Amino acid sequence: MAPRTAAAATEVEESHSMPGLQFNQPLSWRAGKPIAVADLLRRLQALSKEMQGMDQEQNERESFTKVAKELVNPNLLTHKDKGVKALTACCLVDILRICAPDAPFTGQQLRDIFNLIITQILPALADPSHAYNHQHIYVLNSLAVVKSIILLADLPTADTLITNVFKICFDVLASSAKISDGEGLQRNVESDMTAMLVCLVDETPALPSDAVDIIVAQFLRTDPKAVSGSGGKNKKNGIVDEKQSTLVLRQLPPAYNMAKYICVACPENMARYFSQYFNDIVIDASQKSTYKVPSKYKKRHSDGVDDSDDDHTGGPNEEGISDLRKVHGLLRELWRACPGVLQNVIPQLEAELSAENIQLRLLATETFGDIISGIGAAGPPAPPNMNPAAYPSNALADPSENTTSLNLVTKPSSPQPFPSTHPQAYANYLGRRLDKSPLVRAAWTTGIGRILTTSAGGAGLSQQEEDRLIADLGRTLGDSDDKVRIAAVRVVSNFSFRDIIHKLGRSGGVDESGSVLATLAERVKDLKQPVRAEAMPVLARIWGVAVGEISAGNEQVCALLKGIPSKVLNTHYTNDLEVMALLDHIFFEQLLPLNYPPIKAKNPKMTNGSSQGAKESQGETTDPDKIRTERILLLVRDLDERAKKVFYINQSRPPKLAPYVTAFLERCEEYNGGVMDQNEAQIKEHLTKLIQTFAGRFANSQQASADLWKFAKMHDRRSYQLIRFCMKPDTDYRTVIRAIRELTKRIVEISPSTTASNSLVETLTSLLYQISLIVYNKSHVPAIMEYTRTDDKSLAATAHELLRQISSQTPEVLKAHVQAICKTLQDEAPTAKKANDAGAVDNLKACASFASKYPKEIPQDPKFRQAMRSFALHGSPAEAAKYAVSVIWAASEKKELLVRDLVQQCLKGFQYGGEGFLSRLATLSQLMLLAPNEIDQDSTDAILEVAIGQILTQVREPSKKAADAYEWSSSIDTEALAKIWALKILVNHIRSHDDAKSLPAVAAPQYRLLSNLIEQQGELSSARDTPPSHKSRLRLLAARLYLKLCTQKPHEALLTASAFNALAVVAQDSIREVRAGFLQRLKKYLHHQKLSQRFYTIPFLFAFEPSDQVRSDVTTWIKSRAAIFSNTRSQQMGSSSKVNTVMESVIARLISLLAHHPDYASDAEDLVDLSRYIIFYLQNVATEDNLSMIYHIAQRVKACRDAVTATPAPDAPPTEADDRLYHLSDLAQITIRKYEDIHNWTIQTLPGKVRLPSSLFSEIKSHSEAQRIAEHNYLPEDVDAGVEHLLKATLRASRPGHGKKRKSEGDSEGRDVKKARALPVRKAAGTGTTKEKKATPKKAAMKTKTPTKARKTTEPKEPDSGERRRSGRAKPVEKNYVERDSEEDDEEMYMDAAAEEPETNSEVDAPADDSDPEIDKDEVTTNRGPDEVEGEEESDKEKESEVEEKEEEVEEGSAPKTTPIAASRSKRKTTASPQSKTKARPTKSKPKATRSKAPTRGKAKQVPSDDDDDDDDDDEELSDPPDSE
């Protein structure tokens, strides 16, 4: 029972039954006669000692009246001596204890007593070294145990005293944490203070609001910002010292613990107080509202906030939001400490989730996410250690992955599982995934990420709930707003390696569509650059951390993550310079970090035994070069074909760019920082051009140019030398990395401005990544060779492949190791009874590539020559023999004798199926190419007889299927291989023929053979019993060999227009592998400018390609080439009178090709069908600038006659071929006109005439006949409407977002990119015949809405080989193999001048013997990164991110409004003459008939060299074409 005052006492006790107080000395004095301090202290000590031994119920209370009166005398309460006041307080609390419940004091006296205790005694507890600390503790203990403190509640105006009690107690405990002398507060002080305050909270009817504020403030002691903002040195404006932020707090502050205990002990009272506190803050914040903006002044879009009207409604201002943010941070900490006190606050917080004001919803969403995650005011824990350069790499069994955070304030902790404690609030929170504000959705995404990583603050999640949240995270990665996607990416970056595997991995790996990891991989090609910049490092870092487990063969990790490098490297196909620059940084900072592994060579064995599992397997090797090589091989092994091409092309950049960088450094040295003695203008001009060239490789070319000029003006010779170190093939890896680091450090030291130095460092770093020999470094070659021998971790095949690439791209790197390669080949040489090792082929190819450039470095000893001879006769597979011959020819001093010997040995007793017969065929094939002059005529005839008589014309396993059976097999049997090598023998024979005059006669049989293979679909046997799988292989090989022959100008002249048309139809072969293989080789030769311009016509036959991947492949490639020619034309317009019109002139050749196409028909339906080719051409080539020229060329075709079938007499009537041309010319014109109208472009009349190729077209001599043809419309009346409908449908289908409709945010189904409806497939027909011309040129009118049959409007999947298209059949062609040079025809197509290919920059002062002509045309001059990939195999697939293909499409039914003029123009005849009244461009002048040089192609070689290009081609003939899907 609590004590009461003397005025309230009614009970009378019997004094004789209880002993009384024995102390009778005076404690008070009269004024002017004070008691000495020593006497007073002695008396107070005696009194205190006596009362301490008394019990509450065994004493005469009346005996304390006098003493009590004296103790409350102001002389004692306000005495200047601290000891007196301390002892007085001890006596007073004893009297309160003994006399309880009736305190012998008045209300004013009690107020004075508590004032003494609160102001003097309790604050003194902060000093444990105080002389009277024992008395202070005694007073506190008495107040807590006896609960005398509750007397405060009965005092008038006690709020101030109660508030001071809370303030002083918390201050005392807070100050104890700062005591540095090692003498802290005793534990009982904290517990007594806590008990005293709990008593006050329980007994006080209503705590003062200031006291509640004080309690609340204690929970913010874990927030570094709040603590730092409270004052003190170096804490101005709440700035936290970064060094201090890393300190680990191993225990919570005492004041925090006391406040926590108070809340736990008094949950109901504190819940009421906190609810009122939160409500007051919200009301105060709402009163600090902003002015509501009138609707007419609202902005449509606001920065950082969604564009809904809610953003503009009146809400809290900045000060109010700041207050709300603080109280929401408090709620986070309260949930961690004492969730019971928030039982009334959670509903209020839940109401904020549905508030109209976005800031309130945002705060509530953030708060709920942290509350559920158990994250307090200090914020989330530090992100996990995900260092891709660490060695050993992270392992799933690593104990460090399981250790919890040592920092208690940031360690997530949720005492109660929020989902089950507050299910309604949790469900409402999950509904914020569909919030209309992207800011709220982003905050929600961050929240669920923290819930997943912390397992709901340690409370745990059910499997079902965790899977749901993971699925929601995957949906946010595909959200419509980039802020949400960025937040989702950052969430994934905060997952530990174990969580990524065991949590995110449950939804699938990066290759499994719809999984979180796969969606994250899609973000590396996001439309928004910030999203890409966030996603690419995160994705690559995951693989970098997982490489240890991948190396150890962890199947789970491999299945989930091995596809990451492919996803990253495939971003190269976006054709975005910024993405490609980012890709370089990611590659050398995340996938293959430059400082990996961070150990030194000959590192002692690891100690402490801390590594387990994967780490043990990694720790076995201490050679950093071998460790790094293994990582490179692991990366390359798991790359898909497209990514592998990017990898190899990127590694081929250093040798290509080295001459230009060398020239740049030389010009910088001559520039001398701007001080030149002579040739100043010339030096500046050369340097300017070089800087422009390199700047074009950057997204921000202006900034890059400025940075390179700064570098030139710095004139730091050491920097020049460091860059040269990076490019030298004989520089080891450590030197390259040190050079990069030193160069970066020097730039920072030299540059006066931090901003300028950062920009320059970034530019030079990007450039160094492109020119440095980092992967193809000589330090890696020994380890690569070791893996080829040991096949450790199944990396031998990859090691062979990488060694082959190094030998072809940078053979200089192999100089120090070529002897070892040769010694290995010598030891592995085969015999008639012993086969060679399978990896010997790659070593032979590497050796052959090296020997072609450095023949003197190859051993000349007889043993090595004998080994090469053995490979040539017995090598397996046959490619080994081919490379062995190349080594012999390049390095042998007695090559003539060796050639004759090899020919004799190969021909001696040759028979099909004999020992090494395939190797002999390969050897003969290579000898026919390299050494035709060393082989006599008899031997040549014998070789041809073997190839034709014994191989090609023989069918040893006749087919039992139908004669027209035609199929593909993934494997190649022995007979097919023999025929492939035999066919190469024949082609190599004419390739090496050096007499141009006799070439037509010599090559005629081979050309007839190739034509028959193409026309007859690979059938050579008169019995038509060739196996179907052989026929497809032979037809593809024949087409490829035709292309290879046409890379030589004399041979290209032998390909007639009819033969070319037959060759072009291979692009529409019924077998996908044939089409893809033919396209791959065609793109490769066109990129290297080895084929004439007429071959650009063939890719447009893929308009009906049923394979989406092949179609997108060719589409991307055409657009890329068109962009290159367009850029070149833009450069020529200002500097040259010659204009490049390569792609524009293709329209005339395409019309001619379609006129002789097997599928041609003149009825309306088929003509509309044929217009797809024209539409496909326009989609990929036409722009507003060149559409007039395309239209003019298409119109010019109608003024000519066909010259392909035969040259007609001048007065002869039009032939059927002529009519076809006129039909297609009208069709092209009407299609172009409608394409113009849809895009709102304007076709202008061009001055002058366009000369068409004379090999395809001849002039109409009769003016009247030409006038009649021009005025006649050859199209059926229904074609116009059919073309318009088809054009709109095609453009709509090609739209990047076609078929993709976004549902409400968060709906994953709404975010899946749906495939556009596939285009119709050409109908099929029998092979070997040509479609007959119909009797009537026109059909009945067809319906406007359905210009094509239903069967042509749907294509759910790729049709069977027999139902694909009619163009797969054969068509007879003329056997005349001599024709007018097609390049001369191309030259006549140019209007102002002949078209020319991009020329080499004359300003690049690079050594002629080191420069690469390809890079000057496509890499440096045009700065087209994707063409580096095209240079390898030109296999640019469809850009999965929609960055490049931004077509201008129209929605169906929403065509642009047509003006009266445009309407009349669209209705007029499409045969308008060039003299029409359309306004002409004034800048054009009458063109002159000029001729220019042919495209940059080498002349016919006397003896073709066995270059790498040929080697690659031959290898590809023996393997399947790359699968585009």
PDB file of all heavy atoms in Angstrom, residues 947-963:
ATOM      1  N   ALA A 947      38.825 -37.772-107.287  1.00  0.00           N
ATOM      2  CA  ALA A 947      37.741 -36.979-106.711  1.00  0.00           C
ATOM      3  C   ALA A 947      36.420 -37.239-107.415  1.00  0.00           C
ATOM      4  O   ALA A 947      35.371 -37.346-106.770  1.00  0.00           O
ATOM      5  CB  ALA A 947      38.093 -35.491-106.777  1.00  0.00           C
ATOM      6  N   ILE A 948      36.464 -37.337-108.765  1.00  0.00           N
ATOM      7  CA  ILE A 948      35.222 -37.484-109.521  1.00  0.00           C
ATOM      8  C   ILE A 948      34.843 -38.950-109.674  1.00  0.00           C
ATOM      9  O   ILE A 948      33.731 -39.373-109.340  1.00  0.00           O
ATOM     10  CB  ILE A 948      35.357 -36.807-110.894  1.00  0.00           C
ATOM     11  CG1 ILE A 948      35.627 -35.308-110.711  1.00  0.00           C
ATOM     12  CG2 ILE A 948      34.095 -37.022-111.719  1.00  0.00           C
ATOM     13  CD1 ILE A 948      35.915 -34.581-112.020  1.00  0.00           C
ATOM     14  N   GLY A 949      35.793 -39.706-110.193  1.00  0.00           N
ATOM     15  CA  GLY A 949      35.473 -41.092-110.533  1.00  0.00           C
ATOM     16  C   GLY A 949      35.252 -41.977-109.338  1.00  0.00           C
ATOM     17  O   GLY A 949      34.343 -42.822-109.337  1.00  0.00           O
ATOM     18  N   GLN A 950      36.058 -41.851-108.326  1.00  0.00           N
ATOM     19  CA  GLN A 950      35.957 -42.771-107.201  1.00  0.00           C
ATOM     20  C   GLN A 950      35.076 -42.253-106.050  1.00  0.00           C
ATOM     21  O   GLN A 950      34.654 -43.042-105.213  1.00  0.00           O
ATOM     22  CB  GLN A 950      37.356 -43.072-106.646  1.00  0.00           C
ATOM     23  CG  GLN A 950      38.275 -43.777-107.627  1.00  0.00           C
ATOM     24  CD  GLN A 950      39.546 -44.285-106.954  1.00  0.00           C
ATOM     25  OE1 GLN A 950      39.503 -44.738-105.817  1.00  0.00           O
ATOM     26  NE2 GLN A 950      40.662 -44.200-107.655  1.00  0.00           N
ATOM     27  N   ILE A 951      34.843 -40.964-106.028  1.00  0.00           N
ATOM     28  CA  ILE A 951      34.132 -40.415-104.872  1.00  0.00           C
ATOM     29  C   ILE A 951      32.780 -39.820-105.277  1.00  0.00           C
ATOM     30  O   ILE A 951      31.722 -40.315-104.880  1.00  0.00           O
ATOM     31  CB  ILE A 951      34.980 -39.345-104.153  1.00  0.00           C
ATOM     32  CG1 ILE A 951      36.353 -39.918-103.766  1.00  0.00           C
ATOM     33  CG2 ILE A 951      34.243 -38.821-102.931  1.00  0.00           C
ATOM     34  CD1 ILE A 951      36.293 -41.061-102.780  1.00  0.00           C
ATOM     35  N   LEU A 952      32.795 -38.733-106.059  1.00  0.00           N
ATOM     36  CA  LEU A 952      31.577 -37.963-106.288  1.00  0.00           C
ATOM     37  C   LEU A 952      30.518 -38.728-107.065  1.00  0.00           C
ATOM     38  O   LEU A 952      29.321 -38.624-106.777  1.00  0.00           O
ATOM     39  CB  LEU A 952      31.910 -36.649-107.003  1.00  0.00           C
ATOM     40  CG  LEU A 952      32.617 -35.587-106.154  1.00  0.00           C
ATOM     41  CD1 LEU A 952      33.009 -34.400-106.999  1.00  0.00           C
ATOM     42  CD2 LEU A 952      31.723 -35.148-105.005  1.00  0.00           C
ATOM     43  N   THR A 953      30.910 -39.462-108.052  1.00  0.00           N
ATOM     44  CA  THR A 953      29.920 -40.136-108.909  1.00  0.00           C
ATOM     45  C   THR A 953      29.476 -41.488-108.365  1.00  0.00           C
ATOM     46  O   THR A 953      28.626 -42.133-108.970  1.00  0.00           O
ATOM     47  CB  THR A 953      30.500 -40.322-110.315  1.00  0.00           C
ATOM     48  OG1 THR A 953      31.712 -41.094-110.236  1.00  0.00           O
ATOM     49  CG2 THR A 953      30.790 -38.969-110.962  1.00  0.00           C
ATOM     50  N   GLN A 954      30.041 -41.903-107.273  1.00  0.00           N
ATOM     51  CA  GLN A 954      29.705 -43.203-106.708  1.00  0.00           C
ATOM     52  C   GLN A 954      28.724 -43.040-105.541  1.00  0.00           C
ATOM     53  O   GLN A 954      28.847 -42.116-104.745  1.00  0.00           O
ATOM     54  CB  GLN A 954      30.970 -43.922-106.207  1.00  0.00           C
ATOM     55  CG  GLN A 954      32.012 -44.151-107.284  1.00  0.00           C
ATOM     56  CD  GLN A 954      31.521 -45.112-108.356  1.00  0.00           C
ATOM     57  OE1 GLN A 954      30.815 -46.084-108.053  1.00  0.00           O
ATOM     58  NE2 GLN A 954      31.895 -44.842-109.604  1.00  0.00           N
ATOM     59  N   VAL A 955      27.748 -43.928-105.472  1.00  0.00           N
ATOM     60  CA  VAL A 955      26.814 -43.975-104.352  1.00  0.00           C
ATOM     61  C   VAL A 955      26.945 -45.359-103.738  1.00  0.00           C
ATOM     62  O   VAL A 955      26.445 -46.343-104.283  1.00  0.00           O
ATOM     63  CB  VAL A 955      25.369 -43.703-104.790  1.00  0.00           C
ATOM     64  CG1 VAL A 955      24.430 -43.791-103.588  1.00  0.00           C
ATOM     65  CG2 VAL A 955      25.252 -42.352-105.461  1.00  0.00           C
ATOM     66  N   ARG A 956      27.627 -45.429-102.639  1.00  0.00           N
ATOM     67  CA  ARG A 956      27.939 -46.723-102.042  1.00  0.00           C
ATOM     68  C   ARG A 956      26.825 -47.245-101.133  1.00  0.00           C
ATOM     69  O   ARG A 956      26.748 -48.439-100.878  1.00  0.00           O
ATOM     70  CB  ARG A 956      29.253 -46.616-101.260  1.00  0.00           C
ATOM     71  CG  ARG A 956      30.447 -46.447-102.209  1.00  0.00           C
ATOM     72  CD  ARG A 956      31.749 -46.177-101.476  1.00  0.00           C
ATOM     73  NE  ARG A 956      32.872 -46.268-102.402  1.00  0.00           N
ATOM     74  CZ  ARG A 956      33.231 -45.309-103.241  1.00  0.00           C
ATOM     75  NH1 ARG A 956      32.530 -44.177-103.269  1.00  0.00           N
ATOM     76  NH2 ARG A 956      34.253 -45.468-104.055  1.00  0.00           N
ATOM     77  N   GLU A 957      26.007 -46.356-100.645  1.00  0.00           N
ATOM     78  CA  GLU A 957      24.854 -46.784 -99.847  1.00  0.00           C
ATOM     79  C   GLU A 957      23.618 -46.114-100.425  1.00  0.00           C
ATOM     80  O   GLU A 957      23.170 -45.061 -99.946  1.00  0.00           O
ATOM     81  CB  GLU A 957      25.046 -46.397 -98.378  1.00  0.00           C
ATOM     82  CG  GLU A 957      26.206 -47.124 -97.706  1.00  0.00           C
ATOM     83  CD  GLU A 957      26.332 -46.778 -96.233  1.00  0.00           C
ATOM     84  OE1 GLU A 957      25.443 -46.050 -95.748  1.00  0.00           O
ATOM     85  OE2 GLU A 957      27.275 -47.233 -95.587  1.00  0.00           O
ATOM     86  N   PRO A 958      23.049 -46.683-101.495  1.00  0.00           N
ATOM     87  CA  PRO A 958      21.897 -46.054-102.162  1.00  0.00           C
ATOM     88  C   PRO A 958      20.730 -45.864-101.204  1.00  0.00           C
ATOM     89  O   PRO A 958      20.482 -46.668-100.305  1.00  0.00           O
ATOM     90  CB  PRO A 958      21.564 -47.044-103.289  1.00  0.00           C
ATOM     91  CG  PRO A 958      22.810 -47.845-103.474  1.00  0.00           C
ATOM     92  CD  PRO A 958      23.448 -47.949-102.140  1.00  0.00           C
ATOM     93  N   SER A 959      20.038 -44.776-101.435  1.00  0.00           N
ATOM     94  CA  SER A 959      18.882 -44.465-100.596  1.00  0.00           C
ATOM     95  C   SER A 959      17.693 -45.321-101.000  1.00  0.00           C
ATOM     96  O   SER A 959      17.454 -45.563-102.183  1.00  0.00           O
ATOM     97  CB  SER A 959      18.532 -42.982-100.724  1.00  0.00           C
ATOM     98  OG  SER A 959      17.329 -42.710-100.058  1.00  0.00           O
ATOM     99  N   LYS A 960      16.935 -45.764-100.027  1.00  0.00           N
ATOM    100  CA  LYS A 960      15.724 -46.528-100.279  1.00  0.00           C
ATOM    101  C   LYS A 960      14.471 -45.656-100.199  1.00  0.00           C
ATOM    102  O   LYS A 960      13.369 -46.148-100.340  1.00  0.00           O
ATOM    103  CB  LYS A 960      15.620 -47.676 -99.278  1.00  0.00           C
ATOM    104  CG  LYS A 960      16.783 -48.670 -99.375  1.00  0.00           C
ATOM    105  CD  LYS A 960      16.627 -49.793 -98.357  1.00  0.00           C
ATOM    106  CE  LYS A 960      17.795 -50.775 -98.458  1.00  0.00           C
ATOM    107  NZ  LYS A 960      17.684 -51.863 -97.456  1.00  0.00           N
ATOM    108  N   LYS A 961      14.687 -44.367 -99.981  1.00  0.00           N
ATOM    109  CA  LYS A 961      13.559 -43.457 -99.908  1.00  0.00           C
ATOM    110  C   LYS A 961      13.208 -42.934-101.280  1.00  0.00           C
ATOM    111  O   LYS A 961      13.882 -43.237-102.274  1.00  0.00           O
ATOM    112  CB  LYS A 961      13.892 -42.303 -98.955  1.00  0.00           C
ATOM    113  CG  LYS A 961      14.158 -42.747 -97.520  1.00  0.00           C
ATOM    114  CD  LYS A 961      14.419 -41.556 -96.618  1.00  0.00           C
ATOM    115  CE  LYS A 961      14.670 -42.020 -95.184  1.00  0.00           C
ATOM    116  NZ  LYS A 961      14.946 -40.881 -94.266  1.00  0.00           N
ATOM    117  N   ALA A 962      12.168 -42.124-101.348  1.00  0.00           N
ATOM    118  CA  ALA A 962      11.741 -41.561-102.630  1.00  0.00           C
ATOM    119  C   ALA A 962      12.851 -40.719-103.235  1.00  0.00           C
ATOM    120  O   ALA A 962      13.715 -40.181-102.532  1.00  0.00           O
ATOM    121  CB  ALA A 962      10.479 -40.723-102.435  1.00  0.00           C
ATOM    122  N   ALA A 963      12.802 -40.591-104.552  1.00  0.00           N
ATOM    123  CA  ALA A 963      13.864 -39.874-105.252  1.00  0.00           C
ATOM    124  C   ALA A 963      13.923 -38.408-104.848  1.00  0.00           C
ATOM    125  O   ALA A 963      14.993 -37.793-104.874  1.00  0.00           O
ATOM    126  CB  ALA A 963      13.675 -39.998-106.763  1.00  0.00           C
TER     127      ALA A 963
END
